[in-house]
């Protein structure tokens, strides 16, 4: 042996070696160890921490509902998070969670946006939300400098009872749509257009009955697929274009071991043309389920936002949104935003998680 180290056997170490070879001694008899011990079960759920939370809602109870992210292409650090107050309006927050603007136009439930809508010869950021106060489409532009909202709806556009909503821009036609998904299982698509006088009109383009109560939805502008959540059943997937007649398919079902009712918000994380992830809020177990965006939407992983040192975790989440675009030093590879049903201090709000904590980017 080198360095003066030599094996040194005492009667104790010898009996220990015998025990190790023979197995534990129980009631005076040596028992052989199990040939193939069960490996510890790894946790299949990824736990992440949020780094920012938005200002709490001005009212108690269930109020915050659905977020949408606007990425500022000129200065990504000056992007914005929009978030509905389903008891009465819509907020715009900066990336530190501070309020930049608030509208009080009614019980706005779900919100979505597209950043390149043609209006009056310019490209504008168009925001839509379902207004449950009068079952209309709330339509705004978001000013790229001030990050404030302007109502540009041509008129009160009456729809089926409002509830869930998202937007779609067809890769075939370039047309923009507001998509409604409601408690009666109805899906309605409304084509949005410049009315020639600086405001936005909407024309009903498709009506579909999907089953039970619907809410969360997201449309994929690259693949032309619309995903709709039936709260106690699962995730529907269908061709988004109004002319399509393919039967909707159930992508994943409540009871599969991944989704626990209600199925709520949905969002698409784009990593390349047509590639990335579909993320869905599984409200019943305070989790988010990640599927592949491409192909048959294979299951990837499940994660939860748990309590951190500064920001509490999320529970009972309704709406979510995600972007893979870098938003400055706080969110260099994008951000995931989730409504939190139980804020630790104060009313409900939204939590922001750096995306690289969730996805392999
Ligand atoms: Ca809720
Ligand atoms: Ca949304
Ligand atoms: Ca719901
Ligand atoms: Ca919480
Ligand atoms: Ca908090």
């Amino acid at each position: 042996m080198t360095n003066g180290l030599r094996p040194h056997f005492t009667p104790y170490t010898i009996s220990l070696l015998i025990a190790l070879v023979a197995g534990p001694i129980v009631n005076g008899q040596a028992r052989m160890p199990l040939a193939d011990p069960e490996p510890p079960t790894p946790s299949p759920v990824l736990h992440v921490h949020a780094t920012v939370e938005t200002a709490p809602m001005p009212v108690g109870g269930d109020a915050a509902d659905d977020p949408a992210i606007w990425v500022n292409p000129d200065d990504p650090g000056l992007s914005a998070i929009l978030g509905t107050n389903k008891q009465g309006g819509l907020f715009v927050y900066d990336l530190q969670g501070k309020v930049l603007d608030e509208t009080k136009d009614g019980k706005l439930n779900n919100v979505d946006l597209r950043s390149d809508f043609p209006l009056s010869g310019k490209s504008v950021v168009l925001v839509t939300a379902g207004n449950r106060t009068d079952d209309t489409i709330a339509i705004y532009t978001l000013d790229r400098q001030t990050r404030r909202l302007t109502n540009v709806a041509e008129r009160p556009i009456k729809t089926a009872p409002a509830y869930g909503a998202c937007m779609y821009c067809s890769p075939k036609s370039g047309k923009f749509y507001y998509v409604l998904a409601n408690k009666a299982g109805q899906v309605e698509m409304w084509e949005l257009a410049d009315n020639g006088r600086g405001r936005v009109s909407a024309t009903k383009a498709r009506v579909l009955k999907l089953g039970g109560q619907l809410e969360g939805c997201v449309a994929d502008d690259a693949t032309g697929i619309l995903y709709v959540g039936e709260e106690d059943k699962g995730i529907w997937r269908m061709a988004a274009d109004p002319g399509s007649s393919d039967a909707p398919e159930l992508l994943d079902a409540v009871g599969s071991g991944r989704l626990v009712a209600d199925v709520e918000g949905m969002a698409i994380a784009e990593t390349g043309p047509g590639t990335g992830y579909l993320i869905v809020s599984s409200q019943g177990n305070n989790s988010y389920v990640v599927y592949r965006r491409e192909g048959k939407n294979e299951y990837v992983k499940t994660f939860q936002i748990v309590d951190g040192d500064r920001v509490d975790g999320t529970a009972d989440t309704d709406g979510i949104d995600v972007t893979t675009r870098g938003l400055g030093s706080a969110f260099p590879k994008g951000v995931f935003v989730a409504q939190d049903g139980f804020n630790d201090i104060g009313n409900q709000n939204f939590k922001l998680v750096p995306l690289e904590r969730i996805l392999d980017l």
Side-chain angles (χ1 to χ4, degrees), residues 270-282:
E270 176 163 56
T271 55
T275 62
Y277 303 95
L278 168 71
I279 308 177
V280 177
S281 169
S282 174

Side-chain angles (χ1 to χ4, degrees), residues 163 213 215 231 262-264 283 318:
Y163 199 47
Q213 181 161 321
E215 186 176 3
E231 291 187 345
D262 293 353
V263 175
E264 290 282 343
Q283 189 178 54
D318 290 307

